[in-house]
Amino acid sequence: MIPQDQTAIREVSITLPVRDDQLNSLQLGDAVFLNGMVFTGREGLYHMIFEKKAEPPIDIRTLGGATFHCSPAINESSPGIYHVPSVTATASFRFAKYMPEFLSRYNIHFVIGKGGMSSRVYKESFVPNRTIYLTTVGYGLGAIYGKGIVGVKDVAWKKELGLAQAIWVLEVNHFGPFMVECDARGNSLFEQGNDEINKKFLPLYEGLPIPALKRLGEVTSPAQEVV
Amino acid sequence: MYGTDRYEEFMEEKDVMIRAETILAASRELNTRAAIEIPKDVQQKVEKMASEETNPLSRYVLEKILDNYETAIKDRSPMCADTGLPRYYAKIGNQASIEGGMVALEKSLRQATADTTASIPLRPNRVHPFSRKDHNNNVGLHAPTVDYSFEPNVDWMDITVVHKGGLFGGEYRMLFPADGIPGLKRFFLDSIAEFLRRGMSCQPAVIGIGVGGTKDVCVRLSKEAACLRLVGDRNSEPEIARLEEELIDLGNNAGFGPMGFPGKSAVLDVHIEAAYAHTGGMPVGIQQFCYAQRRKTARFFPDNTVEFREDPRWFTPYYRRETID
Ligand code: SF4
């Protein structure tokens, strides 16, 4: 399913909220560009909603169904006037446990972040909610993503969570590229890639000794490795 | 190696002392350039990788990395929104004199960090580890760090600024002479498995390896090796240089591309530094520096001219000396 023999990556532009037929047609490895509204959230947001049982002061259900695991580099030139020169995602696997409830309660169809989650999480909580996981590309492309942000539409929980963790509602135009890491069936691009890599990688260990002194906490076989 | 531009604006004919205001102004400029402008040696290597990569996913990522370098320079915005942890490396000539001494130097560097955190802006990444208190200026306890080395018979001072991420890519292992080079290779592969999957270290990366010394010394050397040598530079000891080449090869044939997609573009370079170790041990530190290589160097002359340089030239023959003098 990885576009092996294909020479170019397919680039797809989507205006939020996304239509069902568009969701179904997205394939692993497609590069998606978004137009409309995206809201940010990370530890602070999930903590407020799930540990403190608070409801966000803005209705995130109606924003277009795309959430972004990140904290933007926000520049407040004068009170209430924000500028977002660059933005980089944060690793998403930390938020996996909140996904089942979060996706259905807030009508989320795109989760954007870094590195993805496991296909088990996708199958259990993404597929039933018709949600696609999009990963940022390269992870350090702050300048390109910053260019896709037209402006800040709204901000919530700024006082409670601080600039980095607040819910930022960003108006975006040609915001991307984001790569389809989990498709509508819950397949994971990374997992498929890893299977392919392991065929080449694991044999390299042949003949290399395990460390003379094993120490607590050290993994001595690449097969035991977690991520 | 690459073009340098010489700033004469602080020139004052009879100066023999590098003035604090010169250091402050140039250090602000250093932080700005480091955050925004990719060094040419890195850019050229990524261009080469993009033209040779055959996996479409990996190639796409490399092309976007190149786009991003250009966008950052055009829009004067940081190449990565995680602007890392600013830190400094000072190489001070034995004949250099600095106005206000070392205390004034450190103050200028801390001031420049705070000033540019606001002006670029850099992300205020530095927080107290327990209270998570944030001064919003990247200054605090042991932040930023300044590392020092010295150079005989010269009257200039080099300041190199590095902005490096701090979460992934660093590892330490106490190996023993019995582990030898095969043990080192295994550690290298382990660290690749650990950090290249799903692209946690934002490869293609420069991998720095410090071998020998003590635990702290090999870790420090691995970081300096990752951050302070140009892509393409080989260690002056032929045996180490050969090992560097072997590991570059191993790293780029392990199956990984950028983001942990299948490919052959994972390692921009491998730089190894050695230090004399305890006769019974072979401690090793490994450090990866992502493709957003934020580094820039300025050389300060006693007449208060400043020359911005691409090559930190940190590992001088004197710095790598084995003899008493
Ligand atoms: S590792 Fe480098 S490119 Fe990746 S997010 Fe951190 S600073 Fe940016």
Side-chain angles (χ1 to χ4, degrees):
Chain A
M1 214 172 273
I2 299 173
Q4 272 302 347
D5 40 18
Q6 189 181 316
T7 50
I9 296 300
R10 188 167 72 130
E11 297 193 332
V12 186
S13 179
I14 289 179
T15 298
L16 297 164
V18 62
R19 295 191 318 263
D20 253 17
D21 60 305
Q22 290 172 311
L23 277 181
N24 285 332
S25 72
L26 288 176
Q27 290 173 16
L28 293 185
D30 282 351
V32 174
F33 293 82
L34 297 175
N35 308 286
M37 228 69 86
V38 167
F39 73 92
T40 70
R42 53 188 298 170
E43 292 89 343
L45 168 81
Y46 296 109
H47 184 78
M48 289 293 272
I49 293 178
F50 292 105
E51 321 297 341
K52 295 205 155 160
K53 312 278 180 223
E55 230 357 82
I58 45 182
D59 188 3
I60 55 179
R61 247 175 238 99
T62 57
L63 290 176
T67 189
F68 192 3
H69 295 150
C70 75
S71 39
I74 297 271
N75 192 347
E76 190 167 2
S77 49
S78 52
I81 306 295
Y82 305 105
H83 174 63
V84 192
S86 107
V87 59
T88 298
T90 193
S92 296
F93 67 89
R94 297 173 289 169
F95 314 126
K97 65 172 176 185
Y98 303 116
M99 287 300 109
E101 177 75 29
F102 186 73
L103 299 181
S104 65
R105 199 194 299 173
Y106 297 105
N107 198 20
I108 304 297
H109 292 294
F110 285 123
V111 174
I112 310 163
K114 171 176 179 176
M117 301 179 189
S118 70
S119 60
R120 195 173 55 80
V121 174
Y122 294 152
K123 296 216 155 89
E124 283 171 11
S125 48
F126 279 62
V127 175
N129 290 301
R130 312 197 37 68
T131 310
I132 300 268
Y133 184 95
L134 298 173
T135 179
T136 48
V137 171
Y139 303 143
L141 310 187
I144 288 191
Y145 291 116
K147 216 168 62 171
I149 298 173
V150 179
V152 173
K153 263 278 145 144
D154 209 347
V155 55
W157 281 340
K158 186 176 138 201
K159 214 174 80 225
E160 292 82 348
L161 297 175
L163 283 187
Q165 297 265 351
I167 308 177
W168 294 95
V169 182
L170 306 174
E171 186 183 346
V172 299
N173 182 26
H174 200 64
F175 186 40
F178 304 109
M179 230 168 221
V180 177
E181 134 71 4
C182 148
D183 63 13
R185 286 155 295 281
N187 299 307
S188 158
L189 181 65
F190 285 124
E191 286 184 6
Q192 292 188 4
N194 267 338
D195 291 344
E196 188 184 330
I197 289 167
N198 281 343
K199 286 195 205 109
K200 212 168 164 181
F201 180 66
L202 296 179
L204 295 178
Y205 275 85
E206 217 161 288
L208 296 181
I210 63 166
L213 186 69
K214 283 190 228 157
R215 298 161 70 97
L216 188 65
E218 263 173 18
V219 170
T220 50
S221 156
Q224 294 167 13
E225 207 251 332
V226 221
V227 181
Chain B
M1 188 163 187
Y2 299 107
T4 53
D5 36 319
R6 199 165 166 125
Y7 274 77
E8 310 260 324
E9 58 188 278
F10 306 110
M11 180 104 171
E12 224 179 72
E13 232 144 40
K14 280 184 219 67
D15 276 351
V16 287
M17 213 176 231
I18 304 168
R19 289 202 314 258
E21 63 184 279
T22 309
I23 297 172
L24 178 59
S27 302
R28 288 192 193 117
E29 181 67 22
L30 271 179
N31 276 290
T32 308
R33 293 189 184 200
I36 295 170
E37 298 167 8
I38 191 71
K40 289 204 181 53
D41 55 306
V42 178
Q43 183 173 10
Q44 282 164 1
K45 180 69 190 180
V46 176
E47 279 166 4
K48 184 156 182 288
M49 281 181 156
S51 70
E52 292 171 357
E53 179 59 70
T54 49
N55 180 285
L57 289 167
S58 285
R59 197 174 56 236
Y60 185 80
V61 180
L62 291 168
E63 283 162 3
K64 293 298 155 190
I65 290 171
L66 291 168
D67 271 8
N68 187 66
Y69 291 156
E70 272 169 32
T71 305
I73 291 171
K74 213 167 78 227
D75 297 355
R76 301 305 295 167
S77 74
M79 57 182 105
C80 181
D82 183 346
T83 48
L85 304 177
R87 60 186 299 157
Y88 300 90
Y89 293 90
K91 188 179 284 298
I92 301 171
N94 202 37
Q95 275 72 34
S97 72
I98 298 161
E99 183 194 4
M102 304 309 289
V103 170
L105 169 64
E106 293 199 325
K107 179 167 186 272
S108 295
L109 297 179
R110 288 167 84 86
Q111 186 67 52
T113 306
D115 291 351
T116 40
T117 297
S119 66
I120 300 176
L122 300 177
R123 202 160 87 183
N125 272 341
R126 290 278 201 175
V127 300
H128 189 284
F130 295 130
S131 68
R132 313 309 287 184
K133 181 172 74 185
D134 192 337
H135 293 163
N136 281 317
N137 63 4
N138 281 309
V139 176
L141 274 173
H142 296 284
T145 49
V146 186
D147 290 273
Y148 298 95
S149 69
F150 305 98
E151 193 63 15
N153 305 318
V154 296
D155 57 6
W156 46 254
M157 167 179 76
D158 278 352
I159 299 286
T160 298
V161 61
V162 172
H163 300 170
K164 184 186 175 306
L167 297 185
F168 300 110
E171 266 286 34
Y172 162 79
R173 187 176 290 175
M174 179 52 108
L175 294 177
F176 296 89
D179 293 305
I181 304 279
L184 176 65
K185 281 188 189 154
R186 186 181 179 104
F187 182 24
F188 179 79
L189 286 179
D190 287 348
S191 79
I192 280 186
E194 187 180 1
F195 297 121
L196 297 196
R197 287 207 198 278
R198 301 198 179 210
M200 283 304 164
S201 53
C202 292
Q203 70 265 23
V206 173
I207 304 187
I209 305 180
V211 184
T214 49
K215 181 174 192 171
D216 58 328
V217 169
C218 72
V219 170
R220 172 171 64 74
L221 282 175
S222 70
K223 184 154 239 171
E224 293 175 5
C227 300
L228 301 174
R229 286 172 54 187
L230 295 186
V231 170
D233 177 48
R234 294 277 68 82
N235 191 293
S236 49
E237 245 182 84
E239 204 188 325
I240 297 180
R242 268 197 303 280
L243 184 59
E244 288 177 341
E245 275 162 3
E246 210 182 312
L247 292 182
I248 295 169
D249 223 48
L250 186 62
N252 282 330
N253 287 297
F256 293 95
M259 288 177 79
F261 291 139
K264 54 179 184 184
S265 317
V267 178
L268 292 167
D269 208 345
V270 173
H271 293 143
I272 303 175
E273 291 299 326
Y276 276 38
H278 187 287
T279 179
M282 190 179 146
V284 180
I286 295 190
Q287 191 69 235
Q288 303 188 8
F289 192 6
C290 61
Y291 61 76
Q293 299 246 327
R294 280 79 41 102
R295 66 164 143 82
K296 207 53 101 186
T297 302
R299 178 163 292 182
F300 297 81
F301 295 94
D303 63 2
N304 281 284
T305 52
V306 179
E307 193 177 275
F308 289 96
R309 306 164 74 95
E310 290 270 342
D311 187 348
R313 286 178 154 274
W314 180 252
F315 289 96
T316 58
Y318 175 77
Y319 191 53
R320 282 194 186 127
R321 72 198 179 281
E322 289 186 69
T323 55
I324 287 176
D325 54 358

